Amino acid sequence: MTRSAARAIWTFTLDEDEDWVPFREPAGDENLRRAVETLLMGIASAGAAETYLAAWRADSQRWGTGFSLGTASATARRASSELVRLIDLYGQFEDCDIAADEFETMLQDHVAAARTAES
């Protein structure tokens, strides 16, 4: 699981195929980076990123824990109030955990990057 005393900062760039490539500072486990990258492959626009974040927040409010929200390439499962499990669908990464607050902040950072890319 990735946890740190300092807030992790996620940044995103588009590669030559227009796929989002995430970077985490401080650098984390490469598997976690691949897991985030794979999850985001299914979120192709700022609107889709906003919809995913809104759905994540709504499900968190409604269900608390135990729910899953997927994309075409990976699934995020709210394992507990503190933990999100990223689940691989196609052999791209090893299932891994991320702190719940870091996961939501990462989604917010991705929305901001997607908005900037579209403007």
Side-chain angles (χ1 to χ4, degrees):
M1 176 175 56
T2 302
R3 289 185 189 246
S4 64
R7 178 187 180 276
I9 305 294
W10 286 87
T11 57
F12 303 87
T13 60
L14 286 170
D15 68 10
E16 63 278 353
D17 296 322
E18 297 293 310
D19 291 326
W20 288 105
V21 179
F23 299 94
R24 182 183 185 273
E25 189 61 44
D29 178 280
E30 175 61 16
N31 185 63
L32 175 60
R33 192 202 65 74
R34 277 195 321 269
V36 168
E37 180 176 27
T38 303
L39 180 74
L40 297 180
M41 285 178 161
I43 304 175
S45 68
E50 290 169 343
T51 298
Y52 188 92
L53 177 58
W56 182 262
R57 287 177 172 163
D59 285 354
S60 291
Q61 188 85 24
R62 182 172 183 189
W63 304 110
T65 62
F67 71 90
S68 296
L69 186 61
T71 67
S73 48
T75 297
R77 183 173 62 83
R78 187 70 182 254
S80 72
S81 61
E82 301 291 319
L83 196 64
V84 173
R85 182 109 178 127
L86 298 176
I87 302 167
D88 179 46
L89 299 178
Y90 301 108
Q92 301 298 309
F93 63 92
E94 300 279 331
D95 293 358
C96 59
D97 299 331
I98 183 173
D101 58 345
E102 181 178 347
F103 181 73
E104 188 165 329
T105 299
M106 178 275 298
L107 292 175
Q108 291 172 318
D109 293 344
H110 179 251
V111 166
R115 283 185 193 144
T116 299
E118 289 182 5
S119 58

